[in-house]
Every structure is written in C-alpha cells, then in structure tokens.
Amino acid sequence: AQKVTQAQTEISVVEKEDVTLDCVYETRDTTYYLFWYKQPPSGELVFLIRRNSFDEQNEISGRYSWNFQKSTSSFNFTITASQVVDSAVYFCALSEAANNNDMRFGAGTRLTVKP
Amino acid sequence: DSGVTQTPKHLITATGQRVTLRCSPRSGDLSVYWYQQSLDQGLQFLIQYYNGEERAKGNILERFSAQQFPDLHSELNLSSLELGDSALYFCASSSRTGASTEQFFGPGTRLTVL
C-alpha cells in the first residue's frame, strides 16, 4: 500500500529565510501522482501542485518550487524568501493509479515563519 | 475560497448520538470525497462518490455512511458516536475522478463528541 512520510513535524524560520519541506513516499505502482496541500490557520486545505510519476521536471511557481526525484522517492517543497503568510501546515499526498481514488496524506509539517 | 461548502461549521453532540454532515461541491464538480482529520490518525480518506454512485472506500467505519444526491450534494452520516469520532471532517470535490485528480476542499465541520 502507498505511504507518505513527512519526517519534519514542525519547522520554525525567520522571515526571508528559505525553507525546504521534505516528503518521501512509497509505492509499488509505476503510475502515481504526488500532491502538496497547504492548510492555513483557517483550516481549509488549499491545493498547491500535482505531479505525475512520469514527469520529473522540477517546477517553480513564484517563491514556491518542487523537486521530484524518483531515485530517492522524494517530492520536496521549497519556499524561498519565506513570509509570515506562509505559516501553515503543509501536507504531501500520494495517489496511485491502481488505487484510483484513495489519496494518502503524510502527517503534515507545521511551518511557522516569524517576523 | 474553494467553492466547496460544508455545514454545519461546528457540531457538539453526545456519545451514542447520530449526526449528519452536509457538503455542496463546486459548481460542475461530479466527485465528492469525505476525509477525517484527527490528531492521532491524521488526514484519512473515508469515501468517494461520483455522480451519485459510490466510487471508492477508504477507512470508513461501518457506523458511518454517506450518499450523494441527484443535485450532487453529499451527506455523511455518523451514528453511535464515540469520543474517538471527534475530529475535523472535510469534504472535497473534483470535476472528474481518478488518481490524477486534484481535489478542492471545503472548510470542514468540526465534530466534538462529549
């Protein structure tokens, strides 16, 4: 069965620092999809990115970037020049094509950005 | 705002009771998913409906059931409630189904069982 590990429970940084959130996954499927979601203090989960197993290109969106490496089964998320508004819990998730709609979430990493 | 609405926002009830949580998906979305978020279990997938039909089941207890109505809104019924059922229940929706589909989450219903 698929599994997602986010080993960092909590991270605290000072504004403008760069921070990387780690995500390691396990799957036996060759076709799978990786996601990152953000859960701000308001509680609602916000979709950030989706990546499929055949596309290892890194992605950059503003201050956010994602590094997908199949060799290490990792899909890490970096925030550059962090801001207080980035404070949230971030979840990495995995969905296998064979298990269709069973999206497995990691335990989440709570990021606190201090001014 | 994702466009997914959930009611009520908060619910407080006693053990042994039954409650119903309601979800309206984004306009045009056919898929509805239910998740439970608790401190000890994290975020867990419960069940998915697509256009009125059950499509996938996760870690949903037998005391829990769900349905999706012709207007595509969904309800999650929780019965014989136990203290351990206290959690945040999320509904998510998507325009299609399948592993590649990104899901859009509602604000959640916080259930407290006393």
Side-chain angles (χ1 to χ4, degrees), chain A residues 34-73:
Chain A
L34 294 161
F35 302 80
W36 275 95
Y37 282 86
K38 173 183 180 180
Q39 186 176 33
S42 58
E44 193 167 318
L45 280 102
V46 178
F47 167 76
L48 296 178
I49 191 172
R50 175 193 59 215
R51 220 61 191 143
N52 74 59
S53 53
F54 300 109
D55 182 2
E56 283 193 77
Q57 258 194 328
N58 291 334
E59 178 139 349
I60 298 175
S61 176
R63 296 182 297 106
Y64 293 173
S65 62
W66 290 269
N67 180 266
F68 175 28
Q69 291 199 342
K70 286 176 79 169
S71 60
T72 55
S73 297

Short mmCIF file of all heavy atoms in Angstrom, two decimals, chain A residues 34-73:
data_model
loop_
_atom_site.label_atom_id
_atom_site.label_comp_id
_atom_site.label_asym_id
_atom_site.label_seq_id
_atom_site.Cartn_x
_atom_site.Cartn_y
_atom_site.Cartn_z
N LEU A 34 1.63 12.78 -7.17
CA LEU A 34 2.03 13.40 -5.91
C LEU A 34 1.43 14.80 -5.82
O LEU A 34 1.35 15.51 -6.83
CB LEU A 34 3.56 13.48 -5.82
CG LEU A 34 4.25 12.11 -5.75
CD1 LEU A 34 5.70 12.23 -6.14
CD2 LEU A 34 4.11 11.52 -4.36
N PHE A 35 1.03 15.17 -4.63
CA PHE A 35 0.37 16.45 -4.41
C PHE A 35 0.97 17.14 -3.18
O PHE A 35 1.46 16.49 -2.27
CB PHE A 35 -1.13 16.24 -4.12
CG PHE A 35 -1.89 15.52 -5.21
CD1 PHE A 35 -1.84 14.14 -5.30
CD2 PHE A 35 -2.69 16.22 -6.10
CE1 PHE A 35 -2.55 13.46 -6.28
CE2 PHE A 35 -3.41 15.55 -7.08
CZ PHE A 35 -3.34 14.17 -7.17
N TRP A 36 0.86 18.44 -3.18
CA TRP A 36 1.10 19.22 -1.97
C TRP A 36 -0.14 20.08 -1.72
O TRP A 36 -0.69 20.69 -2.64
CB TRP A 36 2.33 20.13 -2.10
CG TRP A 36 3.62 19.45 -1.78
CD1 TRP A 36 4.48 18.85 -2.67
CD2 TRP A 36 4.21 19.29 -0.49
NE1 TRP A 36 5.56 18.34 -2.00
CE2 TRP A 36 5.43 18.60 -0.67
CE3 TRP A 36 3.84 19.69 0.80
CZ2 TRP A 36 6.28 18.28 0.40
CZ3 TRP A 36 4.68 19.37 1.86
CH2 TRP A 36 5.88 18.67 1.65
N TYR A 37 -0.54 20.09 -0.43
CA TYR A 37 -1.64 20.93 0.00
C TYR A 37 -1.17 21.78 1.17
O TYR A 37 -0.34 21.37 1.96
CB TYR A 37 -2.83 20.08 0.48
CG TYR A 37 -3.66 19.50 -0.64
CD1 TYR A 37 -3.30 18.28 -1.23
CD2 TYR A 37 -4.81 20.15 -1.09
CE1 TYR A 37 -4.08 17.75 -2.25
CE2 TYR A 37 -5.59 19.61 -2.10
CZ TYR A 37 -5.21 18.42 -2.67
OH TYR A 37 -5.97 17.88 -3.68
N LYS A 38 -1.76 22.96 1.29
CA LYS A 38 -1.46 23.87 2.39
C LYS A 38 -2.70 24.01 3.26
O LYS A 38 -3.81 24.18 2.73
CB LYS A 38 -1.07 25.24 1.83
CG LYS A 38 -0.89 26.35 2.86
CD LYS A 38 -0.57 27.68 2.16
CE LYS A 38 -0.39 28.81 3.18
NZ LYS A 38 -0.07 30.10 2.52
N GLN A 39 -2.52 23.93 4.57
CA GLN A 39 -3.64 24.13 5.49
C GLN A 39 -3.30 25.31 6.40
O GLN A 39 -2.61 25.17 7.40
CB GLN A 39 -3.92 22.87 6.33
CG GLN A 39 -5.17 22.99 7.19
CD GLN A 39 -5.49 21.71 7.94
OE1 GLN A 39 -4.61 20.97 8.34
NE2 GLN A 39 -6.78 21.43 8.12
N PRO A 40 -3.77 26.51 6.04
CA PRO A 40 -3.51 27.69 6.87
C PRO A 40 -4.31 27.61 8.16
O PRO A 40 -5.14 26.71 8.32
CB PRO A 40 -3.97 28.85 5.98
CG PRO A 40 -4.96 28.24 5.04
CD PRO A 40 -4.56 26.81 4.85
N PRO A 41 -4.07 28.54 9.07
CA PRO A 41 -4.79 28.52 10.35
C PRO A 41 -6.31 28.51 10.20
O PRO A 41 -7.02 28.01 11.08
CB PRO A 41 -4.30 29.80 11.04
CG PRO A 41 -2.93 30.00 10.47
CD PRO A 41 -3.02 29.55 9.05
N SER A 42 -6.82 28.99 9.10
CA SER A 42 -8.27 28.99 8.88
C SER A 42 -8.81 27.57 8.72
O SER A 42 -10.01 27.34 8.89
CB SER A 42 -8.62 29.82 7.65
OG SER A 42 -7.95 29.29 6.51
N GLY A 43 -7.94 26.61 8.41
CA GLY A 43 -8.34 25.21 8.41
C GLY A 43 -8.59 24.57 7.06
O GLY A 43 -8.52 23.35 6.94
N GLU A 44 -8.89 25.37 6.05
CA GLU A 44 -9.23 24.80 4.74
C GLU A 44 -7.97 24.34 4.02
O GLU A 44 -6.97 25.05 4.00
CB GLU A 44 -9.93 25.89 3.93
CG GLU A 44 -10.63 25.44 2.69
CD GLU A 44 -11.55 26.52 2.16
OE1 GLU A 44 -12.24 27.16 2.96
OE2 GLU A 44 -11.57 26.71 0.93
N LEU A 45 -7.99 23.18 3.41
CA LEU A 45 -6.84 22.70 2.65
C LEU A 45 -6.83 23.32 1.26
O LEU A 45 -7.84 23.31 0.56
CB LEU A 45 -6.86 21.18 2.50
CG LEU A 45 -6.36 20.43 3.73
CD1 LEU A 45 -7.51 19.90 4.53
CD2 LEU A 45 -5.44 19.29 3.32
N VAL A 46 -5.69 23.83 0.87
CA VAL A 46 -5.55 24.51 -0.42
C VAL A 46 -4.60 23.72 -1.30
O VAL A 46 -3.46 23.44 -0.91
CB VAL A 46 -5.02 25.94 -0.21
CG1 VAL A 46 -4.83 26.63 -1.56
CG2 VAL A 46 -5.95 26.73 0.69
N PHE A 47 -5.05 23.37 -2.49
CA PHE A 47 -4.23 22.63 -3.45
C PHE A 47 -3.10 23.51 -3.94
O PHE A 47 -3.31 24.67 -4.31
CB PHE A 47 -5.13 22.19 -4.61
CG PHE A 47 -4.39 21.69 -5.81
CD1 PHE A 47 -3.82 20.42 -5.81
CD2 PHE A 47 -4.25 22.47 -6.95
CE1 PHE A 47 -3.14 19.95 -6.92
CE2 PHE A 47 -3.57 22.01 -8.06
CZ PHE A 47 -3.01 20.75 -8.05
N LEU A 48 -1.88 22.96 -3.96
CA LEU A 48 -0.72 23.70 -4.44
C LEU A 48 -0.19 23.16 -5.76
O LEU A 48 0.07 23.92 -6.70
CB LEU A 48 0.41 23.68 -3.40
CG LEU A 48 0.13 24.37 -2.07
CD1 LEU A 48 1.32 24.22 -1.14
CD2 LEU A 48 -0.20 25.85 -2.28
N ILE A 49 0.01 21.84 -5.83
CA ILE A 49 0.62 21.28 -7.02
C ILE A 49 0.31 19.80 -7.14
O ILE A 49 0.04 19.13 -6.14
CB ILE A 49 2.15 21.47 -7.01
CG1 ILE A 49 2.74 21.12 -8.37
CG2 ILE A 49 2.79 20.64 -5.90
CD1 ILE A 49 4.21 21.46 -8.53
N ARG A 50 0.30 19.31 -8.38
CA ARG A 50 0.20 17.89 -8.69
C ARG A 50 1.34 17.54 -9.63
O ARG A 50 1.68 18.30 -10.53
CB ARG A 50 -1.12 17.59 -9.38
CG ARG A 50 -1.26 16.14 -9.84
CD ARG A 50 -2.43 15.95 -10.77
NE ARG A 50 -2.28 16.79 -11.95
CZ ARG A 50 -3.31 17.37 -12.57
NH1 ARG A 50 -4.53 17.21 -12.13
NH2 ARG A 50 -3.11 18.11 -13.63
N ARG A 51 1.91 16.36 -9.42
CA ARG A 51 2.99 15.87 -10.27
C ARG A 51 2.71 14.42 -10.60
O ARG A 51 2.32 13.66 -9.72
CB ARG A 51 4.30 15.94 -9.50
CG ARG A 51 5.54 16.39 -10.22
CD ARG A 51 5.55 17.60 -10.74
NE ARG A 51 6.56 18.04 -11.64
CZ ARG A 51 6.19 18.83 -12.63
NH1 ARG A 51 4.94 19.12 -12.84
NH2 ARG A 51 7.10 19.34 -13.41
N ASN A 52 2.91 13.98 -11.85
CA ASN A 52 2.75 12.56 -12.13
C ASN A 52 4.11 11.87 -12.17
O ASN A 52 5.15 12.52 -12.32
CB ASN A 52 1.95 12.34 -13.43
CG ASN A 52 2.76 12.65 -14.67
OD1 ASN A 52 3.81 12.04 -14.90
ND2 ASN A 52 2.29 13.57 -15.48
N SER A 53 4.08 10.57 -12.04
CA SER A 53 5.32 9.80 -11.87
C SER A 53 6.21 9.81 -13.10
O SER A 53 7.37 9.41 -13.03
CB SER A 53 4.98 8.36 -11.49
OG SER A 53 4.06 7.80 -12.41
N PHE A 54 5.69 10.24 -14.23
CA PHE A 54 6.49 10.24 -15.46
C PHE A 54 7.11 11.59 -15.74
O PHE A 54 7.82 11.76 -16.74
CB PHE A 54 5.60 9.82 -16.64
CG PHE A 54 5.03 8.46 -16.45
CD1 PHE A 54 3.67 8.29 -16.20
CD2 PHE A 54 5.83 7.34 -16.50
CE1 PHE A 54 3.14 7.02 -16.00
CE2 PHE A 54 5.31 6.07 -16.30
CZ PHE A 54 3.97 5.92 -16.06
N ASP A 55 6.88 12.54 -14.88
CA ASP A 55 7.37 13.89 -15.12
C ASP A 55 8.25 14.33 -13.96
O ASP A 55 7.74 14.79 -12.94
CB ASP A 55 6.19 14.85 -15.30
CG ASP A 55 6.65 16.27 -15.62
OD1 ASP A 55 7.88 16.50 -15.74
OD2 ASP A 55 5.78 17.14 -15.74
N GLU A 56 9.56 14.20 -14.13
CA GLU A 56 10.47 14.54 -13.04
C GLU A 56 11.00 15.95 -13.13
O GLU A 56 11.88 16.35 -12.39
CB GLU A 56 11.66 13.56 -13.01
CG GLU A 56 11.32 12.22 -12.40
CD GLU A 56 12.56 11.41 -12.09
OE1 GLU A 56 13.23 11.70 -11.09
OE2 GLU A 56 12.84 10.48 -12.87
N GLN A 57 10.43 16.72 -14.05
CA GLN A 57 10.88 18.11 -14.14
C GLN A 57 10.53 18.86 -12.88
O GLN A 57 9.42 18.74 -12.34
CB GLN A 57 10.15 18.79 -15.31
CG GLN A 57 10.99 18.93 -16.55
CD GLN A 57 10.34 19.88 -17.52
OE1 GLN A 57 9.12 19.98 -17.61
NE2 GLN A 57 11.15 20.60 -18.26
N ASN A 58 11.49 19.65 -12.41
CA ASN A 58 11.19 20.49 -11.25
C ASN A 58 10.26 21.61 -11.66
O ASN A 58 10.23 22.02 -12.82
CB ASN A 58 12.48 21.06 -10.67
CG ASN A 58 13.31 19.98 -10.02
OD1 ASN A 58 12.79 18.96 -9.58
ND2 ASN A 58 14.62 20.18 -9.98
N GLU A 59 9.51 22.09 -10.69
CA GLU A 59 8.54 23.14 -11.00
C GLU A 59 8.75 24.33 -10.08
O GLU A 59 9.05 24.17 -8.91
CB GLU A 59 7.13 22.60 -10.84
CG GLU A 59 6.06 23.65 -11.08
CD GLU A 59 4.88 23.13 -11.86
OE1 GLU A 59 4.96 22.00 -12.41
OE2 GLU A 59 3.87 23.85 -11.93
N ILE A 60 8.58 25.49 -10.65
CA ILE A 60 8.71 26.73 -9.87
C ILE A 60 7.46 27.56 -10.10
O ILE A 60 7.00 27.72 -11.23
CB ILE A 60 9.95 27.54 -10.30
CG1 ILE A 60 11.22 26.74 -10.05
CG2 ILE A 60 9.99 28.88 -9.55
CD1 ILE A 60 12.48 27.42 -10.55
N SER A 61 6.92 28.05 -9.00
CA SER A 61 5.77 28.94 -9.09
C SER A 61 6.00 30.07 -8.10
O SER A 61 5.76 29.92 -6.90
CB SER A 61 4.48 28.18 -8.77
OG SER A 61 3.38 29.05 -8.75
N GLY A 62 6.48 31.17 -8.58
CA GLY A 62 6.78 32.30 -7.70
C GLY A 62 7.87 31.93 -6.69
O GLY A 62 8.97 31.52 -7.08
N ARG A 63 7.54 32.02 -5.41
CA ARG A 63 8.53 31.69 -4.37
C ARG A 63 8.54 30.19 -4.04
O ARG A 63 9.33 29.73 -3.24
CB ARG A 63 8.22 32.48 -3.09
CG ARG A 63 8.34 33.99 -3.26
CD ARG A 63 8.08 34.72 -1.93
NE ARG A 63 6.72 34.51 -1.43
CZ ARG A 63 6.42 33.72 -0.41
NH1 ARG A 63 7.37 33.05 0.24
NH2 ARG A 63 5.16 33.60 0.00
N TYR A 64 7.62 29.46 -4.66
CA TYR A 64 7.50 28.03 -4.39
C TYR A 64 8.21 27.23 -5.46
O TYR A 64 8.12 27.55 -6.65
CB TYR A 64 6.02 27.61 -4.39
CG TYR A 64 5.15 28.16 -3.29
CD1 TYR A 64 3.78 27.94 -3.31
CD2 TYR A 64 5.66 28.90 -2.24
CE1 TYR A 64 2.95 28.42 -2.31
CE2 TYR A 64 4.84 29.39 -1.23
CZ TYR A 64 3.49 29.15 -1.28
OH TYR A 64 2.67 29.64 -0.28
N SER A 65 8.88 26.16 -5.05
CA SER A 65 9.47 25.24 -6.02
C SER A 65 9.38 23.83 -5.48
O SER A 65 9.34 23.62 -4.26
CB SER A 65 10.92 25.63 -6.34
OG SER A 65 11.73 25.54 -5.18
N TRP A 66 9.33 22.89 -6.39
CA TRP A 66 9.20 21.50 -6.02
C TRP A 66 10.27 20.69 -6.74
O TRP A 66 10.52 20.87 -7.92
CB TRP A 66 7.81 20.96 -6.40
CG TRP A 66 6.72 21.54 -5.57
CD1 TRP A 66 6.22 21.04 -4.42
CD2 TRP A 66 6.00 22.75 -5.83
NE1 TRP A 66 5.23 21.86 -3.93
CE2 TRP A 66 5.07 22.92 -4.77
CE3 TRP A 66 6.05 23.72 -6.84
CZ2 TRP A 66 4.19 24.00 -4.70
CZ3 TRP A 66 5.17 24.79 -6.77
CH2 TRP A 66 4.26 24.93 -5.72
N ASN A 67 10.87 19.76 -5.98
CA ASN A 67 11.92 18.90 -6.52
C ASN A 67 11.47 17.45 -6.40
O ASN A 67 11.35 16.92 -5.30
CB ASN A 67 13.22 19.13 -5.74
CG ASN A 67 14.35 18.28 -6.25
OD1 ASN A 67 14.62 17.20 -5.75
ND2 ASN A 67 15.02 18.76 -7.29
N PHE A 68 11.22 16.83 -7.56
CA PHE A 68 10.73 15.46 -7.59
C PHE A 68 11.88 14.57 -8.03
O PHE A 68 12.44 14.76 -9.12
CB PHE A 68 9.56 15.37 -8.58
CG PHE A 68 9.02 13.99 -8.82
CD1 PHE A 68 9.10 13.00 -7.84
CD2 PHE A 68 8.41 13.68 -10.01
CE1 PHE A 68 8.59 11.74 -8.06
CE2 PHE A 68 7.89 12.41 -10.25
CZ PHE A 68 7.98 11.44 -9.28
N GLN A 69 12.26 13.61 -7.19
CA GLN A 69 13.34 12.69 -7.54
C GLN A 69 12.87 11.26 -7.32
O GLN A 69 12.74 10.81 -6.16
CB GLN A 69 14.57 12.98 -6.69
CG GLN A 69 15.24 14.31 -7.01
CD GLN A 69 16.67 14.37 -6.52
OE1 GLN A 69 17.07 13.59 -5.67
NE2 GLN A 69 17.44 15.30 -7.05
N LYS A 70 12.65 10.55 -8.42
CA LYS A 70 12.19 9.17 -8.30
C LYS A 70 13.26 8.28 -7.69
O LYS A 70 12.95 7.32 -6.99
CB LYS A 70 11.79 8.62 -9.67
CG LYS A 70 10.47 9.19 -10.16
CD LYS A 70 10.14 8.71 -11.55
CE LYS A 70 9.59 7.31 -11.55
NZ LYS A 70 9.02 6.96 -12.87
N SER A 71 14.52 8.60 -7.92
CA SER A 71 15.62 7.75 -7.42
C SER A 71 15.61 7.68 -5.90
O SER A 71 16.03 6.68 -5.31
CB SER A 71 16.96 8.28 -7.92
OG SER A 71 17.17 9.61 -7.47
N THR A 72 15.15 8.75 -5.27
CA THR A 72 15.10 8.76 -3.80
C THR A 72 13.67 8.77 -3.29
O THR A 72 13.44 8.93 -2.09
CB THR A 72 15.84 9.99 -3.25
OG1 THR A 72 15.28 11.18 -3.84
CG2 THR A 72 17.34 9.92 -3.53
N SER A 73 12.71 8.61 -4.20
CA SER A 73 11.27 8.61 -3.84
C SER A 73 10.94 9.84 -3.00
O SER A 73 10.33 9.75 -1.92
CB SER A 73 10.90 7.35 -3.06
OG SER A 73 11.09 6.22 -3.85
#
